[in-house]
Amino acid sequence: MYVGTTVNQFIIEEQRRYAAGARGDFSLLISDIVIACKAISNAVRRGGLADVLGHAGTENVQGEAQKKLDVLSNEVFLRCNQWGGRLAAMASEEMVDVYRLPAQYPRGKYLLLFDPLDGSTNVDVNGVIGTIFSVLRCPEGVTEPHVEDFMQPGTQQIAAGMAIYGPQTILVLTMGHGVNGFTLDDTIGEFVLTHPDMHMPAEAVEFAINSANARFWAPPVKRYIDECLAGKDGPRGRDFNMRWMGAMVGDVYRLLCRGGVFMYPWDSKNAERGGKLRLMYEANPISFLIEQAGGAATTGTQRILDIKPSGLHQRVPVILGSKNEVERIIAYHREG
Ligand code: P6P
């Protein structure tokens, strides 16, 4: 039986190609993250059969009601990644502060940030959900990192990825040399390379935005969406289609497969808190993937990966996807 290129084989071969002589800590870190995604995928698939649906009865740092799977997925990420000696600390959407590793475990040279279950409101309705993660280097000589050690712009990421728990479980990964997709083969319990070197078309005919927020959008976004809705009779001269999954990972995976634009832009409803999506463990890792696949990612006025973070749970407006579409939206922001 042909097994194909597993994600472990791919990681080791990337290490040989781009980090010859490396000790392998980074590769082992990615392997630990992958195990966590497999475990979460298994729990998600069990759903009501394993009493993991519904609310946990608690709130996260965002004041959002936590699902049982939110709490479980966060715990899985901590347990799979805290023991290996690759990390100095972790941070998560589900935890207020930096997670300090238990004293018995050695400290490593990387920082891991993650949204363990993105789109968890989809859990109880069998919708697409996923995991998003970002890897930074820990500042030299720091063994007990504080929040400020995490405050690095997205350009400093050395790896980022997401797992999408949909009809298939797919892992999408970048380590700075392109984007590759792996499908979980349940018969061998491994992610196997199925989408090598993913690239987005520069043009698009699909946009993803929560149109219920239309009355809160800024003029440049309204202008772009109105032109899409005008279709071939309008200034764009072609018809567009709309999608909105309620889980960024699902919409972004579609962009990687066939192009399009995803927007959770500035709106007056979220103005006070800076936006809906979080910079450190949603916008930055996804923007890294999108740029590595030939796309672009902006707040409307600033490249997302250039933002100097001000807090672990900072929120930002997000507009990303096919390059020509994003550049058009940026131009509309410049014109005001
Ligand atoms: P809304 C999920 O909660 C999330 O952070 C993203 O994954 C998703 O794209 C967005 O929020 C959905 O937001 O306002 O449509 O529920």
Side-chain angles (χ1 to χ4, degrees), residues 118-119 210 213 244 246-249 262 264 276-278 282:
D118 171 62
N210 182 342
N213 295 325
W244 187 250
M248 187 180 193
V249 291
F262 170 92
Y264 217 110
K276 168 78 189 292
L277 303 181
R278 277 61 58 135
E282 288 178 322

Side-chain angles (χ1 to χ4, degrees), residues 35-45 69 72-74 76-77 116-117 130-131 165:
I35 291 170
C37 292
K38 285 194 244 182
I40 294 170
S41 172
N42 183 55
V44 164
R45 300 233 169 283
L69 270 175
L72 174 75
S73 304
N74 192 67
V76 163
F77 244 77
L117 205 64
T131 296
Y165 312 121

Side-chain angles (χ1 to χ4, degrees), residues 81-293:
N81 289 288
Q82 65 185 2
W83 63 272
R86 286 32 114 180
L87 295 175
M90 292 187 252
S92 159
E93 178 190 21
E94 302 303 331
M95 302 183 294
V96 179
D97 297 316
V98 169
Y99 177 76
R100 303 225 164 284
L101 307 183
Q104 67 267 34
Y105 298 133
R107 269 54 180 159
K109 55 188 177 182
Y110 301 109
L111 302 174
L112 176 61
L113 301 102
F114 54 94
D115 178 357
L117 205 64
D118 171 62
S120 55
T121 54
N122 280 350
V123 164
D124 296 344
V125 295
N126 199 29
V128 173
I129 46 183
T131 296
I132 308 171
F133 60 87
S134 168
V135 180
L136 295 168
R137 281 190 183 79
C138 184
E140 197 67 38
V142 173
T143 54
E144 288 303 338
H146 296 281
V147 173
E148 55 270 20
D149 297 306
F150 283 79
M151 295 298 96
Q152 304 175 36
T155 48
Q156 298 304 304
Q157 293 174 100
I158 56 171
M162 62 178 182
I164 304 102
Y165 312 121
Q168 302 101 45
T169 290
I170 290 186
L171 174 75
V172 180
L173 181 63
T174 185
M175 296 177 280
H177 308 292
V179 176
N180 290 274
F182 304 82
T183 301
L184 183 58
D185 181 340
D186 289 323
T187 63
I188 58 172
E190 289 293 347
F191 281 101
V192 177
L193 181 64
T194 48
H195 297 72
D197 195 23
M198 298 184 84
H199 257 274
M200 274 185 296
E203 296 291 330
V205 291
E206 283 184 324
F207 64 91
I209 193 167
N210 182 342
S211 299
N213 295 325
R215 64 187 185 283
F216 304 117
W217 295 336
V221 168
K222 277 189 68 56
R223 174 182 173 189
Y224 176 79
I225 297 298
D226 286 346
E227 289 181 355
C228 290
L229 295 176
K232 62 180 181 299
D233 304 328
R236 299 301 306 273
R238 64 176 190 262
D239 288 341
F240 283 74
N241 200 9
M242 198 210 88
R243 289 283 182 275
W244 187 250
M245 291 193 184
M248 187 180 193
V249 291
D251 285 311
V252 168
Y253 184 68
R254 186 187 59 256
L255 300 190
L256 291 172
C257 292
R258 61 188 194 211
V261 61
F262 170 92
M263 304 166 86
Y264 217 110
W266 178 95
D267 63 42
S268 55
K269 186 168 82 167
N270 291 289
E272 279 184 25
R273 59 180 187 170
K276 168 78 189 292
L277 303 181
R278 277 61 58 135
L279 174 63
M280 297 304 292
Y281 40 78
E282 288 178 322
N284 268 346
I286 298 296
S287 297
F288 191 15
L289 288 170
I290 290 291
E291 287 199 4
Q292 284 286 313

